[in-house]
Amino acid sequence: MEVLKIATAGSVDDGKSTLIGRLLYDTKSLTDDKLEAIERNSKKKGYDYLDFSLATDGLVAEREQGITIDVAHIYFSTKKKSYIIADTPGHVEYTRNMVTGASQAQASIILIDARKGVIEQTYRHFFINNLLRVKQVIVAVNKMDLVDYDQQVFENIKADFEKLNAQSSYEEQKITFIPISALKGDNVAQKTDAMSWYTGDSVLDFLEALKPEQEELTAARFPVQTVIRPKKDEFHDYRGYAGKIYGSSLKVGDAVTVLPSLTSSKIKSIEFFDEQYEEAVAGSSVTITLENDINVTRGDILVKSDEMPHAAKTLTASVCWMDGKALIPGAKYEIQHNTNRVLAKIDSIENVISTDYSGEDASATQLTLNEIGKVNFKLSKNLFFDNYADNKAGGSFILIDTQSNTTAGVGFIG
């Protein structure tokens, strides 16, 4: 069954959690005890309706304040497809959480309150979807019931968002506008008669028809996760390399180069458990054996010999900063790129990028919590990488504070 990964975004109280809760309810994905808890807590709060946001807001603080703080991953299925939804917080102080939640998304739902229209946080949410190259974006204009299902309100918001979209440099992105009421269920799982002027799909119908974007057919990359040495008599000389394929497929007989050693070989076999394959496509987690007995360890990358990545000891990347301690020139961190770690020094900060498309601050001397900026690095050794626009796995990394061992930031190369 196909799996579609979705991220949600929206300002505080725009109804993200309610939308997801409504999807779970209408697809009969809520367990009996969860539904009973929602009914009980809704009555306790004096509501004359079911508060579906309780289906996703897991932290006590979230339930008490009625906001989303943490990234919640929700799983549900229909007869056609399985879904993984990242319910991400919308407030500026949780920008880092939104970047984390949207990093694996194949589609994104941006909610807009019909009463408020496009606001500053809408710009930020759209900017992050651009930064992360999320191709399919659904703009769900929520709470249409509170504006009497007025078509003109929807059309005005659509026009404002299209002005915002005109500022985007990501031309391949596809925007779909759907007017909804998450609370009432209008155009969420089923079409509604309340907005007869809208002729498009409901949110669920659109998602059901949406084909998960296959990973772009870029150069094949195979970061080695672990080396398999059974050390049993029947597998005395066996040496396999386990990991996940990114970019495009690998076949038995392909000439490959091991990075960073630059040694070469050919693929002898591609295996998964007790089965062997002639070819494995992008996204497959497999074990690969090579014809030559060469040195390959965790952190190495296998690539096709005629599809070499960039190699450099300097790097420029857009960085989303996630640490309370500011990023400053001269500081040292470890870059974890796939399974490889390289010591890095912050050479300079080019700018801090305004996520509302208002420009860049080239005078910035540091990156603080939740800020996004262009950063130059000097590395202790060559790093083999791709541009993020060409290959998401090969063009992204995390920054690790070597003293606290915390994830301090995430970077996108190019």
Side-chain angles (χ1 to χ4, degrees):
M1 184 178 283
E2 288 181 343
V3 177
L4 184 66
K5 299 175 184 176
I6 308 165
T8 60
S11 302
V12 175
D13 203 33
D14 275 355
K16 300 185 307 300
S17 298
T18 302
L19 171 63
I20 296 169
R22 169 62 74 173
L23 279 170
L24 296 176
Y25 178 76
D26 286 349
T27 57
K28 296 179 171 56
S29 301
L30 290 172
T31 59
D32 290 342
D33 59 334
K34 190 73 172 179
L35 186 55
E36 288 172 6
I38 291 172
E39 292 172 346
R40 185 172 59 252
N41 284 310
S42 296
K43 289 179 181 178
K44 185 179 177 180
K45 291 183 176 182
Y47 297 157
D48 58 357
Y49 56 85
L50 294 179
D51 183 5
F52 291 116
S53 67
L54 297 171
T56 60
D57 289 340
L59 300 179
V60 173
E62 292 179 323
R63 294 195 297 270
E64 290 177 348
Q65 299 176 54
I67 63 172
T68 299
I69 297 172
D70 197 14
V71 178
H73 287 88
I74 299 98
Y75 306 83
F76 75 98
S77 298
T78 63
K79 292 181 179 178
K80 294 182 179 180
K81 197 174 293 183
S82 291
Y83 298 91
I84 303 174
I85 301 181
D87 182 20
T88 64
H91 200 273
V92 60
E93 65 184 287
Y94 302 117
T95 298
R96 63 195 186 280
N97 301 56
M98 185 183 169
V99 170
T100 301
S103 61
Q104 299 297 316
Q106 297 161 304
S108 180
I109 301 174
I110 297 178
L111 268 81
I112 296 176
D113 189 325
R115 300 167 302 172
K116 301 175 184 176
V118 175
I119 60 174
E120 180 187 345
Q121 291 190 53
T122 310
Y123 281 68
R124 184 179 307 108
H125 303 148
F126 188 56
F127 176 87
I128 291 173
N129 277 280
N130 286 178
L131 178 68
L132 297 177
R133 290 296 191 263
V134 180
K135 183 171 280 188
Q136 294 283 353
V137 175
I138 301 169
V139 178
V141 181
N142 192 24
K143 304 189 180 184
M144 287 298 295
D145 54 309
L146 299 182
V147 294
D148 298 324
Y149 301 105
D150 189 340
Q151 180 180 2
Q152 194 57 51
V153 171
F154 173 73
E155 295 295 341
N156 290 342
I157 292 173
K158 182 178 177 181
D160 288 342
F161 196 96
E162 285 176 337
K163 291 177 184 176
L164 169 59
N165 186 36
Q167 300 182 55
S168 168
S169 60
Y170 184 27
E171 296 179 356
E172 294 82 6
Q173 198 167 52
K174 300 174 183 177
I175 314 293
T176 303
F177 297 89
I178 304 177
I180 69 168
S181 169
L183 188 63
K184 304 280 188 181
D186 297 316
N187 286 343
V188 177
Q190 290 92 26
K191 288 290 295 295
T192 179
D193 294 331
M195 290 177 277
S196 56
W197 46 266
Y198 172 71
T199 58
D201 293 327
S202 67
V203 172
L204 184 61
D205 287 342
F206 181 85
L207 295 175
E208 292 278 78
L210 186 63
K211 290 289 182 185
E213 287 289 337
Q214 297 299 317
E215 199 163 342
E216 298 291 338
L217 293 180
T218 55
R221 304 288 183 249
F222 186 77
V224 176
Q225 185 73 24
T226 188
V227 179
I228 299 176
R229 295 294 304 275
K231 296 183 180 179
K232 294 182 178 179
D233 287 341
E234 59 180 313
F235 300 108
H236 185 75
D237 296 319
Y238 185 91
R239 190 179 180 92
Y241 311 107
K244 183 177 180 179
I245 300 174
Y246 297 93
S248 61
S249 62
L250 288 173
K251 299 178 182 178
V252 171
D254 280 345
V256 294
T257 298
V258 181
L259 305 175
S261 66
L262 296 176
T263 53
S264 299
S265 185
K266 288 186 177 181
I267 296 177
K268 181 180 179 182
S269 68
I270 299 174
E271 306 167 0
F272 179 77
F273 191 47
D274 58 351
E275 296 187 18
Q276 296 201 9
Y277 300 89
E278 285 297 310
E279 181 179 8
V281 298
S284 302
S285 294
V286 295
T287 298
I288 289 176
T289 65
L290 301 178
E291 290 184 357
N292 303 72
D293 187 16
I294 57 180
N295 184 34
V296 182
T297 62
R298 171 180 165 82
D300 290 351
I301 304 176
L302 272 60
V303 302
K304 290 182 182 179
S305 297
D306 59 351
E307 295 179 347
M308 297 290 287
H310 304 290
K313 292 181 71 174
T314 59
L315 194 66
T316 300
S318 298
V319 173
C320 175
W321 196 240
M322 300 177 170
D323 199 358
K325 182 175 67 175
L327 176 73
I328 59 173
K332 294 181 179 179
Y333 295 88
E334 274 190 320
I335 283 180
Q336 176 148 342
H337 178 254
N338 293 312
T339 53
N340 184 30
R341 285 196 180 188
V342 176
L343 189 63
K345 180 181 179 180
I346 308 303
D347 186 37
S348 64
I349 297 172
E350 288 188 14
N351 56 51
V352 172
I353 305 168
S354 297
T355 55
D356 61 358
Y357 290 92
S358 61
E360 304 168 350
D361 180 7
S363 64
T365 57
Q366 62 179 16
L367 269 187
T368 58
L369 181 64
N370 289 308
E371 286 187 330
I372 298 174
K374 209 80 167 176
V375 180
N376 295 313
F377 298 87
K378 286 185 177 179
L379 312 179
S380 61
K381 59 181 180 181
N382 264 350
L383 184 70
F384 295 87
F385 60 90
D386 299 288
N387 288 323
Y388 184 76
D390 299 328
N391 187 314
K392 288 187 177 182
S396 57
F397 60 86
I398 61 173
L399 283 169
I400 300 172
D401 188 314
T402 56
Q403 294 181 329
S404 63
N405 207 36
T406 57
T407 300
V410 57
F412 308 97
I413 303 170

